[in-house]
Amino acid sequence: ELRDRLILSVAALLVVFLGLVYWAPDIFHLFSKPLLDALPNGGRMIVTDVTGSFFVPMKVTMMVALMISLPWVLYQAWAFVAPGLYMHEKRLVAPLIVSSSVLFLLGVGFCYYFVFGTVFKFINDFAPKSISVAPDIENYLDFVITMCLAFGITFEVPVVVIVLVRMGLVTVEKLKEIRPYVIVGAFVIAAVVTPPDIMSQLFLAVPLCLLYEIGLILAPLFVRVTKAPEDTPDSA
């Protein structure tokens, strides 16, 4: 069963990837558009590796294929574990799988549509006028992946809070008590992960704090809905 589910997941990923390969240059252009729009005088990116002009668009296309096929992959994971779960466990796992994937995609979208435009414009406006800005596509890919992962993981904070409370590892009251430390930690993480400018740090730290508060609100409701039935002689 596990092998079949893995084969179906990989097959879906490969089918989507092969269907997108023809448009790989266009996908990379869309991928790099936030930076290109911020470059002065219609600036362009450069390639310093001999094979970079081929492999970098392929990597970006594979990332897009993974995001498109993610619902199917998550469905296969759910179909594998669902038969072994009780009803209250299904009420616990299914929303977590769906919400975590949706929140991750929202984090990536927030980074792409709102953060990149502001950050790239700020960096390029700050650059001395005597230099010509021509970023390398390999470095750009590494930077974008790091930023998208950071924001995608950040948007998982409500799920983490809910899971911790649901498993009984910590109470909502305790999480509220440590709120000041969480806020400080959010800004420290933002300072380490993002570029050294105040805008990108705020774009990461502020959503992290807000999502933490959302997790505190939703955790008690989620615990109540997914509470296991009391053990009785009949159920035993």
Side-chain angles (χ1 to χ4, degrees), residues 148-169:
C148 287
L149 285 176
F151 278 86
I153 294 173
T154 296
F155 273 61
E156 301 289 340
V157 168
V159 176
V160 175
V161 172
I162 290 172
V163 170
L164 291 176
V165 175
R166 179 61 182 82
M167 296 179 65
L169 299 177

Side-chain angles (χ1 to χ4, degrees), residues 79-159:
F80 176 74
V81 301
L85 300 177
Y86 292 105
M87 185 57 64
H88 69 278
E89 292 173 332
K90 292 181 180 180
R91 291 198 299 266
L92 169 66
V93 176
L96 289 180
I97 292 177
V98 175
S99 60
S100 61
S101 59
V102 171
L103 287 172
F104 184 85
L105 294 177
L106 286 176
V108 173
F110 177 80
C111 182
Y112 178 84
Y113 287 104
F114 295 99
V115 178
F116 284 161
T118 304
V119 171
F120 292 149
K121 187 176 185 306
F122 174 82
I123 293 176
N124 286 297
D125 289 344
F126 187 79
K129 303 302 181 183
S130 58
I131 67 173
S132 176
V133 181
D136 177 63
I137 61 174
E138 286 276 5
N139 294 332
Y140 176 72
L141 176 62
D142 294 338
F143 173 80
V144 169
I145 290 178
T146 301
M147 290 287 289
C148 287
L149 285 176
F151 278 86
I153 294 173
T154 296
F155 273 61
E156 301 289 340
V157 168
V159 176

